[in-house]
Amino acid sequence: MATTAELFEEPFVADEYIERLAWRTPGGGSRGGEAFDPKRLLEEFVNHIQELQVMDERIQRKVEKLEQQCQKEAKEFAKKVQELQKSNQVAFQHFQELDEHISYVATKVCHLGDQLEGVNTPRQRAVEAQKLMKYFNEFLDGELKSDVFTNSEKIKEAADIIQKLHLIAQELPFDRFSEVKSKIASKYHDLECQLIQEFTSAQRRGEISRMREVAAVLLHFKGYSHCVDVYIKQCQEGAFLRNDVFEDAAILCQRVNKQVGEVFSNPETVLAKLIQNIFEVKLQSYVKDQLEEHRKSDAEQYLKNLYDLYTRTTNLSSKLMEFNLGTDKQTFLSKLIKSIFISYLENYIEVEIGYLKSRSAMILQRYYDSKNHQKRSIGTGGIQIHKRTEAKLSIQDLKERIRQRTNLPLGPSIDTHGETFLSQEVVVNLLQETKQAFERCHRLSDPSDLPKNAFRIFSMLVDFLCTEHIDYALETGLAGIPSSDSKNANLYFLDVVHQANTIFHLFDKQFNDHLMPLISSSPKLSECLQKKKDIIEQMEVKLDMGIDRTLNCMIGQMKHILAAEQKKTDFKPEDENNVLIQYTNACVKVCSYVRKQVEKIRKSMDGKNVDTVLMEFGVRFHRLIYEHLQQYSYSCMGGMLAICDVAEYRKCAKDFKIALVLQLFDTLHALCNLLVVAPDNLKQVCSGEQLANLDKNILHSFVQLRVDYRSARLARHFS
């Protein structure tokens, strides 16, 4: 059996178990060269099966024995559990009985306590009343003999007694007890003064515990508020020695906030009273001194001080918000700030507008004075520089308006001597003043009035920057543009355009950066946007008018150059074989002039305006050269010279970088070829790519310029 047990291994696998058994049996395998003996192996298997059966029987008996033992122990355990349950039930019953007994006893004790209290309370009251009657008799007799009144160390007990006697005395009839009531009131007052004096001394010594004791006694006296006042007054002694009253106030409140909770039972009330005292006494006095000094004499300094003081006060209020001041500290602090500044904020915007108006006028006048310029009353329908009365216009005014809208020479133009009357320094000063006004408006205006006040400031900026400065410069610039037939005219209007664009970009930036945040959520937004749009449109009309007239003047200058420099013999030389120049002197001067003007236009304009103005200038330039060429007759060499001139004009047109202008000069160059082409090739040239789409009359007009046009051969070929 031992051998059989050895064959069992964990985990048990039947096939391996048979293999191990056969391996251990002699003749059961090929081990050691032994021959296989099936009978021996069978016999071994039979014996082993018998052994396994015996082992199985023995194990089965052991299992049955263990099962019986387990069942027996389970019954014993169940019996024991039942006994424990019974014991637990008995213990629970005992606990309930004990709990009921305890409740019963507690009820009896409470009842007994109530009875004892009912007996003891009247007794205590009687004893206390007896003592009070004893002390009252002393006041009645006029001689205070009790130790509590004569011993200064028992001031706390004396205060308690006199406070109660004072309440009793209030109920007594005056006619019979006037004298004793007076004595009690006098003693009440004396003790109150002694307590306040003791509190003051303790505060100076820094004895927090003594201060707390005295404050607790005084809490039931009428003079408790006086005790708080004394505390507040002494807290401020030596606290405001520096120049910065706001910083001193913040430090003082921070220090008192740590102490007041250790002294008083209602620290938030005391701290709030301290802050109220600081605002209504120290700050209000300081603000008044700072503002009243400049209120009537210096509006600029007054507004700066008002903004600075209000800002510092609100910053102090923000610091005080971290302290416990009661339920609605936000409203409390707002009322304190309002009480200080209400008289100044009521008319703030009127002062602001008045200052802004006078300051802006002074900035402009100082600028015009520096230029020795007397401002003229110029206006043309859009923005009026000076609001006129409804009087009849003078003849000079009428002439000026007609001259500005047309190119008719109705008298001499205004000579500005090259001055644009626009100054970035003036603009920066005006915008800076307005920026500061917007900042003050944001801080000092009531939220409901903020959009309205901001709009008024914006209107002042429009009046002085856009109307009085930019628009005046445009009007003056328009008046300074000479007529198109003027000789050697200096054109400064493009400088005005350049500076006006730069200035308006600054104006637009301030509109977006400083005005928009103040009006973005109010109906004033649309009003401001419309006002800005109207200003832009009115100025664009004048800019367009000035640019148009400037271009006319440029063309007029070019006409003068061509009239003075171009000779009829240039295109019909006397000696056809002795022409050495490549292009005429008139062409050279015109191209030089055009290039300068193109460069000036590029510097004066920005964005798409550059291309728009250059295209208009290029079209007029082309029309001028086209009409100019129509005035001459051309020989063969003259036609070649004209082609050279147009080629130079075309090279000049490339500087415009405008496709239409270059195309016009390409076509003009092709038309000039008609002046030199052989008569037999005229039809072929006219049907070329560049001339095929032109009107036949235009082609004919160029052919007519040839000196040989009258020959029958040329006329026959072109017809």
Side-chain angles (χ1 to χ4, degrees), residues 9 20 62 107 114 132 247 254 285 295 401 406 413 426 510 544 562 568 578 609 659 679-680 717:
E9 293 182 1
R20 285 196 297 275
K62 188 175 181 180
T107 304
D114 292 339
L132 290 175
E247 186 63 27
Q254 187 73 37
S285 174
R295 189 169 190 175
R401 292 195 176 193
T406 67
S413 62
V426 169
Q510 183 166 97
D544 291 345
L562 291 172
K568 291 187 177 181
N578 194 25
N609 293 330
D680 295 339
H717 276 85

Side-chain angles (χ1 to χ4, degrees), residues 148 151-160 191 194-195 210:
V148 71
N151 190 348
S152 59
E153 295 182 357
K154 294 186 177 181
I155 189 172
K156 183 177 179 180
E157 292 83 350
D160 181 58
L191 277 174
Q194 290 179 35
L195 287 169
R210 183 59 180 164

Side-chain angles (χ1 to χ4, degrees), residues 170-277:
Q170 303 297 317
E171 304 295 329
L172 298 176
F174 182 78
D175 53 348
R176 292 179 56 192
F177 297 96
S178 59
E179 185 178 351
V180 70
K181 289 177 71 172
S182 175
K183 291 178 181 179
I184 291 173
S186 177
K187 187 63 177 179
Y188 180 92
H189 179 70
D190 291 343
L191 277 174
E192 191 176 62
C193 291
Q194 290 179 35
L195 287 169
I196 292 174
Q197 184 61 42
E198 178 64 23
F199 181 88
T200 304
S201 301
Q203 184 177 2
R204 287 175 178 167
R205 295 191 302 269
E207 297 178 1
I208 301 298
S209 59
R210 183 59 180 164
M211 291 170 63
R212 182 170 58 251
E213 291 177 6
V214 177
V217 175
L218 277 169
L219 182 62
H220 304 291
F221 279 76
K222 294 180 179 179
Y224 178 72
S225 60
H226 185 56
C227 171
V228 174
D229 293 339
V230 169
Y231 174 77
I232 289 173
K233 182 180 178 181
Q234 289 201 166
C235 282
Q236 297 181 64
E237 290 180 358
F240 296 94
L241 299 178
R242 297 181 296 178
N243 292 329
D244 193 344
V245 65
F246 297 96
E247 186 63 27
D248 288 341
I251 294 173
L252 172 62
C253 292
Q254 187 73 37
R255 174 168 58 82
V256 171
N257 182 58
K258 297 177 180 177
Q259 184 185 82
V260 71
E262 301 176 1
V263 177
F264 297 97
S265 59
N266 54 341
E268 66 281 353
T269 305
V270 177
L271 185 58
K273 194 169 184 179
L274 169 65
I275 292 173
Q276 183 176 357
N277 182 268

Side-chain angles (χ1 to χ4, degrees), residues 88-104:
N88 183 56
Q89 288 178 353
V90 172
F92 184 72
Q93 276 184 338
H94 285 252
F95 176 78
Q96 284 183 325
E97 292 172 359
L98 181 61
D99 184 57
E100 291 173 358
H101 188 64
I102 290 173
S103 299
Y104 175 77

